[in-house]
Every structure is written in structure tokens, then in C-alpha cells.
Amino acid sequence: MDFWTGLLQAMLQTALSPVTAAFVIAAIGLNIHFGFTGLMNIGQAGFMLVGGYGFVISVMNGVGLFPAILISMAASALFALLLGIPTVKLRGDYLAIVTIGAAEILRMTARLANISHITGGPSGIQSTRFREQLNALSPLPEGRTTFLGLNYFNTGVDDWWSRIVAWALVALFLLITWLLIRSPWGRVLKGIREDEDAVRSLGKSPFSYKLQALIIGGVMGGFGGIIMSLPATINPDGMSRATTFNIWMILLLGGAATILGPLLGAILFFVVRLVITSVASEFVPASMLNAQQAEILAWILIGLMLMLLVIFRPQGILGNRKELAFND
């Protein structure tokens, strides 16, 4: 009984984690790219890296919190422009190749020893060095608070204040996406996804709309990078190809071209992995399956789950097959 109680508490802890919120925000941005516009961005982790480091480096150089956020947004938008201008006129796979390559170049650059005094190199930068201004904005009193069985410091590293900020941003970006997609602008995006030539025949410029979508989704990815850095550290390897792969799994699991798909997908992705590793560690003898092997088993089962999802429900859990089925 203690195991199941502890597991439920761990599931809640994982679902409310700032890291989960960071993946939700990055997946919302990818949803604008792929789900609503049809852009094959395979480098969303690159936007997270640009936005995260843009914020962190700005704050560490004495820039105020909100100007640092604006710099982060500008850096993510510039990255989207540099990627999008030469590629969005071409077939979708060209954008995929460029984005994954650019994201890896950025990650390797951030790891360079020559600029480790700026980026922290492979070890990254601890959040205690750049979140004083965020802590100062906290309305919470000093000390710890227990809520829903979870006990954290009110303000500090890996605290309630980070969780409030992170999930408030998730709610804000979900609302922004809902408003954008219901607007005439959003309907043009869907039209480009379905039939670009038809949209062009109506006098609209698919190039301009695709670029706008790439910038908006990229800026959201940058916010995901900021939130990911708050609990502990920002480091380049935390925003690698595996991160982009996980964001895609989250989006496809929850349902592309849906508003709540990224939210549901992220929570399921992290909670299911936790349940598999916890149950395997508890009920399978260590002589048959140690903790590391249980983690590998969780990834294998998640991969199988994604394959079954693609085969039997390609639109994801919340998706509508009539609107989007990515293997049709």
C-alpha cells in the first residue's frame, strides 16, 4: 500500500514539475509549426537553447528580468528568420534537415571550452546564478509549503514559485494558441497545411505566413528553454536531439493540431515512464532487471506505444483524423 501511495505522489510531483511544463510549452510551439502549419521542424530543442541562453546570459550581464525575456524572444525570432527565409519556400524535408542541423551546431557551439566563460561549457550554468530577480518577484512568504502532499520551498531552486510561473505560462500560451487558431490568420495556416496552392490562389503569401508561424512557435520554444533552466541548471546537452525527439513524441501522443494535445501528451509521457520504471523496480527482482535496465525498458515500451499509436490512431489521443493524420 505504501508503494502505491508513494507512486501516486510521485506521479503528481512529475505532472506538476517545471520540466514537464517546459516540454508542454515547447510542444505548443511545435504544434503551431507542424500541427497547424505543416512545417517539419526537427530542431525545436535549438529554439529552447537559443531562448534559454539568451535569457540566462542577459540576466548574468546585469540586464533586468523583463528586458532579458525580450532579448530571449528576439534571439528565438532571429533564429527562426535565419532558418526560415532560405527554406520555407522549399519542400518540408529541407526545413527538417536545416533545423536538426542548426540545433546540433548550436549545441556543440555552446559546449565549446573557448566560450565556457559565457555558456558554462558542457556543465552549463547553475540557476542560482541567474534567478535572483525572479525570486524577488515572488509574492510567497519564506519557508516551505505542503500542498496535495507535495512539500517544496516557497521560493528558491525547484520551488513552488517556479511551478506557478511555469504553469501560468502554459495556460497563457494555450490561450494564445486557441485565439490565434480561431482567427482568420489561423485559418490561413490550416489552409497552407492542407493545400498551399489554393491559399496562394486567394492572394495570400504562404511564405509570409509560414515565416510568421515559425517565429511564433520558435519564441514559444525559447520560453520552454527558460522554464527548463529554472529548477537547477541550463546546459547544452539538456537541449539535444533527444529533447526534440521527446517533444515530437509528446505532440503525437496528445494529438497534433489540437489545443490541449501538448498538455495531455507531456503529462502522459513523463507519468507513464515513471510508472513503468517504478513498477519494474518494485516487482521485478534486481537480479533480472536493475534500475538502469528498468529505465531502458521504459523507453522501449514508450517507443512501442508510439508505434502502436501511429498505426492505430495517427491523429493522437485528442486529435481528429478528418483534420490531420500525419501518415495519410
Side-chain angles (χ1 to χ4, degrees):
M1 189 62 184
D2 289 343
F3 167 75
W4 294 108
T5 304
L7 179 59
L8 287 173
Q9 190 173 15
M11 289 167 62
L12 182 61
Q13 185 178 12
T14 299
L16 294 179
S17 165
V19 174
T20 303
F23 273 87
V24 176
I25 294 171
I28 293 171
L30 183 62
N31 199 20
I32 290 181
H33 290 163
F34 174 72
F36 294 113
T37 317
L39 296 173
M40 289 293 294
N41 170 20
I42 312 293
Q44 187 69 344
F47 286 100
M48 297 176 72
L49 191 148
V50 169
Y53 273 102
F55 171 78
V56 169
I57 293 172
S58 300
V59 170
M60 291 179 63
N61 282 279
V63 179
L65 184 69
F66 293 106
I69 291 174
L70 292 178
I71 291 173
S72 167
M73 295 171 66
S76 300
L78 179 62
F79 184 50
L81 280 173
L82 292 175
L83 293 179
I85 288 176
T87 55
V88 295
K89 282 185 177 179
L90 305 174
R91 293 203 322 260
D93 45 358
Y94 285 95
L95 180 63
I97 294 168
V98 169
T99 49
I100 193 172
E104 278 302 290
I105 290 171
L106 287 173
R107 184 177 70 85
M108 297 306 293
T109 302
R111 287 175 54 90
L112 289 175
N114 293 344
I115 59 171
S116 61
H117 61 287
I118 300 174
T119 63
S123 300
I125 303 170
Q126 297 296 317
S127 65
T128 50
R129 299 177 59 189
F130 57 81
R131 56 170 294 161
E132 289 84 359
Q133 296 185 54
L134 179 67
N135 291 342
L137 292 178
S138 172
L140 303 176
E142 293 185 2
R144 303 179 70 98
T145 297
T146 300
F147 181 67
L148 296 175
L150 305 179
N151 183 277
Y152 297 107
F153 280 106
N154 292 334
T155 306
V157 176
D158 194 23
D159 56 344
W160 283 115
W161 179 231
S162 296
R163 284 163 173 77
I164 292 171
V165 171
W167 286 100
L169 284 175
V170 168
L172 175 65
F173 287 131
L174 287 175
L175 176 63
I176 290 174
T177 304
W178 182 73
L179 292 173
L180 286 176
I181 298 308
R182 286 170 57 89
S183 70
W185 183 83
R187 287 192 285 274
V188 173
L189 288 192
K190 289 183 178 181
I192 291 171
R193 183 193 67 198
E194 299 300 328
D195 191 339
E196 189 172 323
D197 291 332
V199 172
R200 189 178 291 108
S201 69
L202 296 174
K204 305 291 184 182
S205 168
F207 172 78
S208 174
Y209 280 87
K210 284 181 176 180
L211 209 52
Q212 293 167 31
L214 193 64
I215 291 172
I216 292 173
V219 169
M220 291 182 181
F223 271 95
I226 295 174
I227 297 302
M228 182 173 279
S229 69
L230 292 181
T233 185
I234 182 169
N235 69 78
D237 291 339
M239 300 167 190
S240 62
R241 294 187 304 273
T243 303
T244 295
F245 174 73
N246 292 342
I247 296 170
W248 270 96
M249 285 188 68
I250 286 166
L251 181 62
L252 299 180
L253 179 62
T258 65
I259 300 299
L260 297 178
L263 174 64
L264 178 65
I267 293 175
L268 284 177
F269 175 77
F270 286 105
V271 168
V272 167
R273 198 178 69 177
L274 172 71
V275 170
I276 293 172
T277 52
S278 300
V279 170
S281 301
E282 179 69 16
F283 296 104
V284 179
S287 58
M288 295 178 59
L289 196 69
N290 59 34
Q292 185 179 8
Q293 291 168 333
E295 184 71 23
I296 295 172
L297 174 66
W299 282 112
I300 292 172
L301 293 178
I302 288 174
L304 287 173
M305 186 170 65
L306 181 64
M307 290 171 62
L308 294 173
L309 190 74
V310 169
I311 294 170
F312 296 108
R313 193 171 173 81
Q315 71 273 31
I317 295 173
L318 297 179
N320 182 350
R321 190 178 181 118
K322 291 181 179 177
E323 181 171 4
L324 177 66
F326 68 86
N327 67 338
D328 284 350

